[in-house]
Amino acid sequence: MSRAEWTLVHMANSLVIVTGVVYAVMRYLVTPSDEWAVVNHPWQPHVQHLHLLAAPLLVFAVGVIWRRHVVKRCANGREGRISGLGLLVGFIPMVASGYLIQVAVQPGWRMAWIGVHLATSTLWVAAFLIHQLRSVLRDEREPLDASAALAEDHRS
């Protein structure tokens, strides 16, 4: 993975994770000061909008690293990458449920998609953190400089 790809993936993940956690706290844990308030916190709509704007960046970042990182790792069967499989399994339902929350009309379906999104997002965050920690602890990081990444492309 090149330095630019690494930066993009980590920046997108950070933005989505932080805005998602802050929004969830505001939505589910904060009680409004006014009983007639539409939102629990004055910044809640802004944080939600930031989350919705950051999410496509994460989808793009995963697309950028798909062939050179995800497919390559799945193909060569590297051991010890359970966290990567967790990311892979959780990604599609997390993204799909995030979009379906926005378009669900019936309250039952909306609540179902929220549940799926919260569960798969929690899986995503845990798997991402474990994936990064394992990478650092095992010192199995890919080359981050452009010349090594280009050499790797020519070999595959």
Side-chain angles (χ1 to χ4, degrees):
M1 188 180 319
S2 72
R3 169 73 66 189
E5 291 168 342
W6 187 92
T7 302
L8 175 65
V9 167
H10 285 80
M11 181 183 68
N13 263 298
S14 298
L15 285 170
V16 171
I17 290 169
V18 168
T19 57
V21 168
V22 170
Y23 177 72
V25 166
M26 288 179 177
R27 175 94 165 105
Y28 300 108
L29 301 179
V30 173
T31 55
S33 57
D34 179 13
E35 66 180 285
W36 301 103
V38 177
V39 295
N40 297 341
H41 190 280
W43 290 4
Q44 183 178 326
H46 305 296
V47 174
Q48 180 186 24
H49 295 155
L50 286 173
H51 185 68
L52 292 173
L53 291 171
L57 181 63
L58 179 60
V59 174
F60 175 74
V62 169
V64 166
I65 66 165
W66 188 260
R67 184 180 62 84
R68 256 194 348 189
H69 187 74
V70 179
V71 172
K72 184 177 179 182
R73 295 298 186 266
C74 289
N76 73 10
R78 283 181 62 174
E79 303 260 340
R81 290 298 180 183
I82 300 298
S83 56
L85 289 174
L87 290 168
L88 187 61
V89 167
F91 183 71
I92 292 174
M94 178 183 70
V95 172
S97 62
Y99 285 110
L100 290 168
I101 290 168
Q102 305 304 313
V103 298
V105 177
Q106 295 178 340
W109 278 110
R110 185 171 171 79
M111 290 306 298
W113 294 126
I114 289 171
V116 170
H117 191 65
L118 289 172
T120 55
S121 296
T122 301
L123 171 67
W124 176 268
V125 171
F128 182 74
L129 294 175
I130 292 168
H131 198 65
Q132 298 311 306
L133 184 61
R134 289 183 78 148
S135 178
V136 169
L137 291 177
R138 289 184 176 204
D139 199 30
E140 293 179 358
R141 298 190 93 155
E142 298 175 20
L144 293 177
D145 62 301
S147 60
L150 286 174
E152 187 177 314
D153 272 347
H154 291 297
R155 284 181 285 201
S156 36

